[in-house]
Amino acid sequence: MSSIFPTVSRMFVNCRVAFTARPIHRLLTSGKQYGYIEVSKRGERQNVGLLRLNRPKALNALCAGLMEELINAVEDFEADNAVGAIVLTGSDKAFAAGADIAEMDKYDFKDVYNKNFPVRWTEFYPKRKPLIAAVNGFALGGGCEVAMMCDIIYAGEKAQFGQPEILLGTIPGSGGTQRLVRAIGKSKAMEMILTGNRLSAQEAQEAGLVSKVFPDDQVVDESVKLGEKIGALSKLAVAIAREAVNQSQELPLSEGLKFERRVFQSSFATNDRKEGMKAFVEKRKANFTDS
């Protein structure tokens, strides 16, 4: 851990110089231009939005500009009725190796307190559409936290997950001390956060942080396939189910069960519920209209 992390940190410090002239990638649904991410649609029905972090020389360090672009791109996919799920990925070497230390190094308490930094990071999270993280390489610090903000994590065999902020004299600030405990339990999360130790992809799967592990060159394609499968279903039902599952992380069991029951009952007001059950009885494929 200690032999690699300083190298990563040095890359962060120099990352802005390396990207003075950066490539432009266009978002298909809105025509917006992006410099830190690549945006496209995938799948046979073009129903999966793909977001690829694109700061390779900085190992996809999460700077303010990148996060702002990510928020805008997710908002566009949220507004695109053809898109049923979103996949977020990075490069073969790094999903995201952490926050941009060069930016944060200039902050003091007044700056982070007045800006409520880094609360804006959580705003890239879609309101209704599932977000799948396809992780290769490093997912460290803010990168691990961003992966945990996603609904499902698929990982390549060489992926590594960690919260090494303690090695910089600070702590995780975007959910690492909260989401990691919920994902893998207090003891293992505490060990990772207090030491900076990492989990391999296989260890992360065993701990419950990762859903599935694939060969590195297959993880994005497999994530898109998952997105296609989800995107072919009722977007209303998917959004309701996603909200109910996420509430389980916020509410006591008794309140969570009440919430589940209410949103289950609300599904009976939708055309998709009627169509789904009718199709089952008639032994045919359902034709969902997202209504």
Side-chain angles (χ1 to χ4, degrees):
M1 175 65 212
S2 59
S3 62
I4 297 176
F5 188 74
T7 302
V8 173
S9 298
R10 286 194 295 273
M11 291 179 125
F12 291 167
V13 171
N14 297 320
C15 64
R16 282 176 294 179
V17 175
F19 278 80
T20 300
R22 49 186 195 272
I24 297 298
H25 306 278
R26 294 184 180 275
L27 179 63
L28 300 180
T29 54
S30 70
K32 290 179 182 175
Q33 293 183 337
Y34 297 99
Y36 295 119
I37 62 176
E38 296 177 353
V39 186
S40 60
K41 289 185 182 179
R42 294 292 183 89
E44 291 184 6
R45 300 169 59 183
Q46 296 287 284
N47 64 341
V48 179
L50 179 64
L51 302 172
R52 187 183 296 275
L53 307 184
N54 188 42
R55 301 186 73 195
K57 293 182 180 179
L59 295 178
N60 292 328
L62 302 173
C63 62
L66 184 151
M67 295 306 298
E68 197 67 30
E69 290 184 358
L70 198 56
I71 290 168
N72 291 334
V74 166
E75 287 177 349
D76 283 323
F77 278 142
E78 280 267 80
D80 188 337
N81 292 330
V83 172
I86 304 168
V87 173
L88 175 63
T89 192
S91 66
D92 293 341
K93 291 184 178 180
F95 174 76
D100 190 331
I101 307 302
E103 283 188 346
M104 291 197 299
D105 184 47
K106 297 179 180 179
Y107 296 162
D108 57 20
F109 171 76
K110 172 178 56 67
D111 297 323
V112 295
Y113 183 80
N114 288 339
K115 294 178 181 178
N116 203 16
F117 176 80
V119 70
R120 182 108 169 102
W121 286 33
T122 62
E123 295 180 13
F124 87 92
Y125 184 68
K127 295 177 177 65
R128 290 181 174 83
K129 296 181 180 180
L131 182 62
I132 303 161
V135 177
N136 272 321
F138 300 121
L140 306 178
C144 186
E145 289 171 312
V146 165
M148 289 191 292
M149 291 178 203
C150 298
D151 299 300
I152 300 168
I153 303 176
Y154 276 6
E157 292 174 331
K158 297 177 183 177
Q160 297 182 37
F161 298 83
Q163 299 289 163
E165 289 88 349
I166 200 76
L167 303 179
L168 298 176
T170 185
I171 70 168
S174 295
T177 65
Q178 305 301 306
R179 291 189 177 94
L180 192 60
V181 173
R182 287 168 168 79
I184 67 175
K186 177 184 174 182
S187 181
K188 189 173 290 291
M190 189 74 81
E191 179 185 11
M192 290 178 64
I193 291 167
L194 296 187
T195 65
N197 290 348
R198 304 175 187 177
L199 292 182
S200 67
Q202 293 73 22
E203 290 171 331
Q205 183 182 28
E206 291 171 3
L209 181 61
V210 165
S211 179
K212 292 182 180 178
V213 176
F214 298 95
D216 291 355
D217 60 353
Q218 296 178 23
V219 65
V220 174
D221 289 340
E222 292 295 334
S223 297
V224 170
K225 288 180 184 178
L226 177 64
E228 284 186 279
K229 184 173 184 178
I230 295 171
L233 302 173
S234 164
K235 293 182 179 64
L236 276 176
V238 167
I240 292 170
R242 179 175 178 260
E243 185 177 8
V245 172
N246 284 333
Q247 285 296 315
S248 74
Q249 304 298 297
E250 307 290 339
L251 300 174
L253 178 59
S254 60
E255 293 302 314
L257 290 171
K258 289 179 183 178
F259 182 86
E260 178 190 70
R261 185 163 59 251
R262 292 292 180 262
V263 293
F264 163 75
Q265 292 166 349
S266 72
S267 73
F268 278 70
T270 69
N271 293 324
D272 283 348
R273 194 280 310 169
K274 295 173 185 177
E275 166 63 12
M277 292 189 177
K278 185 177 181 181
F280 178 84
V281 171
E282 296 177 353
K283 298 181 179 179
R284 61 175 175 81
K285 185 177 180 180
N287 180 28
F288 295 119
T289 59
D290 306 322
S291 64

